[in-house]
Amino acid sequence: MKLDSMYQEVILDHYKHPHGRGLRDGDAEVHHVNPTCGDEITLRVKYDGETIEDVSYEGQGCSISQASASVLNDLLVGKELSDARQIQETFLELMQSKGQIEPDDSMEEILEDAVAFAGVSKYPARVKCALLSWMAWKDATAQAFAEEAKSA
């Protein structure tokens, strides 16, 4: 089986069987829209100190944006914030590579199923789809910790 084909199957599996879908209680909520294609997501994060307790979302859009949100949930729930940020930065680097980065073992270890989006990086219009939930998570996290700082 070709790697591209396997990656497509991972994306389709996350699209058909999403993880984390359905909004639950959270510390912060954001709504992001990709104006290029109309994909949108509402994402909530819940923290227990520095640990991500939950990431939940509702959205509509292409298989790439919806699968990426599912993968984000798998990768980040249960992680410490510093580890989650490293995962997010690694995914961003892959998405901004314009297909020039071939994921190696260390990147695959960090990104797990998210390496399936490597081929997406060759298509600038699709990169925004893949990054939609990740940018929403980043904003929701900033919001959650800003609220926490205000109440401290």
Side-chain angles (χ1 to χ4, degrees):
M1 178 183 281
K2 280 183 59 183
L3 199 55
D4 286 344
S5 180
M6 185 180 77
Y7 285 169
Q8 287 173 357
E9 284 188 30
V10 168
I11 291 171
L12 286 174
D13 185 54
H14 275 279
Y15 177 66
K16 291 176 184 174
H17 309 285
H19 305 165
R21 190 171 194 66
L23 291 172
R24 296 177 291 280
D25 287 341
D27 298 318
E29 174 181 304
V30 298
H31 181 78
H32 279 210
V33 176
N34 179 350
T36 308
C37 64
D39 290 359
E40 58 183 275
I41 190 166
T42 300
L43 184 137
R44 288 184 186 158
V45 294
K46 184 166 183 62
Y47 283 90
D48 181 7
E50 291 278 318
T51 302
I52 301 169
E53 189 175 306
D54 192 27
V55 177
S56 62
Y57 67 94
E58 277 297 331
Q60 59 186 23
C62 69
S63 60
I64 292 171
S65 70
Q66 299 305 294
S68 185
S70 175
V71 169
L72 178 144
N73 172 277
D74 281 358
L75 284 173
L76 301 188
V77 171
K79 296 281 193 306
E80 293 294 316
L81 182 57
S82 59
D83 295 334
R85 284 189 172 135
Q86 180 192 5
I87 293 166
Q88 189 265 338
E89 288 168 10
T90 303
F91 187 70
L92 182 62
E93 177 187 359
L94 179 64
M95 289 296 92
Q96 292 176 335
S97 74
K98 299 181 180 168
Q100 300 303 307
I101 293 178
E102 189 65 39
D104 59 13
D105 290 345
S106 67
M107 185 175 272
E108 286 183 18
E109 188 174 313
I110 293 168
L111 293 179
E112 299 175 19
D113 278 356
V115 297
F117 295 88
V120 173
S121 69
K122 298 174 190 169
Y123 306 99
R126 308 304 287 182
V127 167
K128 287 182 181 180
C129 300
L131 288 175
L132 184 64
S133 58
W134 294 84
M135 295 300 109
W137 172 78
K138 189 175 177 182
D139 287 352
T141 296
Q143 188 182 98
F145 284 96
E147 289 296 319
E148 186 180 294
K150 278 185 201 174
S151 63

